[in-house]
Amino acid sequence: MKEKSKEEELKKVIIEIRKCCNHLKTLSGQLLGDLGINPSMRGVMESLSAGKRMTVPEIAEQKGVTRQHIQNISNALLAKELIEMTSNSAHRRSQHLMLTAKGQELFGRVRKIESLPAERVASPIPMASLSRLHTLLSELNDSISKETERGGRDEKQS
């Protein structure tokens, strides 16, 4: 019997991660529908929760997406008065974003709404497995991030 390669196993992992992301997006959409925000807006609000101030580029880097994507989401959140812009002494053109009082209240409701489904999802999974999964996903994200910086090219092609 042929032994599986790391590449073959990684492909299976990526398929499962994509399915997981799609399930999370669907569940998030179901839970947030009545609140007037979508999963992407929820993600930006999470980045700004607990009083954090971040720039669009900082959020984009944290999430592994483009600045334009975060800018579009931020514009929608600004229009709903869920976030506001504040000055950034370190960079005039890249203002800080932060949740407004209305945004903080709404994100608190989001957390409460998500609490029971999160508990049910986590319930059948042992804590040690969740901890190990967190470590593995962090390692995978670091490795993919390095490959993204490389542009996916062989170093000899540069």
Side-chain angles (χ1 to χ4, degrees):
M1 183 174 212
K2 183 182 173 190
E3 188 175 321
K4 294 179 187 174
S5 71
K6 277 187 168 182
E7 182 183 350
E8 290 169 342
E9 203 59 30
L10 178 61
K11 286 177 184 178
K12 290 179 184 179
V13 168
I14 289 170
I15 288 169
E16 290 301 319
I17 290 171
R18 286 181 176 144
K19 281 197 308 190
C20 186
C21 288
N22 289 332
H23 287 309
L24 283 171
K25 184 176 179 182
T26 299
L27 179 59
S28 184
Q30 292 168 345
L31 295 172
L32 304 176
D34 293 340
L35 299 179
I37 62 171
N38 62 39
S40 295
M41 294 166 124
R42 183 238 177 268
V44 170
M45 291 177 76
E46 180 176 50
S47 293
L48 300 172
S49 65
K52 293 181 196 165
R53 294 174 187 233
M54 297 178 76
T55 63
V56 166
E58 288 170 340
I59 297 169
E61 184 176 331
Q62 178 190 65
K63 303 241 174 252
V65 296
T66 65
R67 288 189 304 261
Q68 186 61 42
H69 178 67
I70 297 300
Q71 187 63 60
N72 290 338
I73 296 165
S74 297
N75 290 343
L77 290 168
L78 283 163
K80 292 181 175 282
E81 299 179 349
L82 297 172
I83 65 169
E84 62 187 347
M85 290 187 199
T86 62
S87 63
N88 177 359
S89 58
H91 198 288
R92 283 185 311 161
R93 290 182 47 187
S94 189
Q95 293 184 308
H96 281 121
L97 303 176
M98 63 181 286
L99 289 176
T100 61
K102 180 179 173 182
Q104 290 172 1
E105 186 273 329
L106 181 64
F107 194 70
R109 288 175 52 204
V110 166
R111 289 281 199 207
K112 285 180 184 165
I113 290 168
E114 292 175 338
S115 179
L116 181 59
E119 188 179 311
R120 288 191 299 248
V121 168
S123 176
I125 306 168
M127 179 61 107
S129 295
L130 288 172
S131 295
R132 181 69 180 136
L133 179 59
H134 175 254
T135 300
L136 292 171
L137 288 174
S138 292
E139 291 172 4
L140 181 59
N141 276 320
D142 289 346
S143 185
I144 292 170
S145 179
K146 288 176 185 162
E147 187 61 24
T148 302
E149 289 171 10
R150 195 177 294 119
R153 294 182 301 272
D154 186 339
E155 291 174 359
K156 295 172 190 167
Q157 294 175 335
S158 302

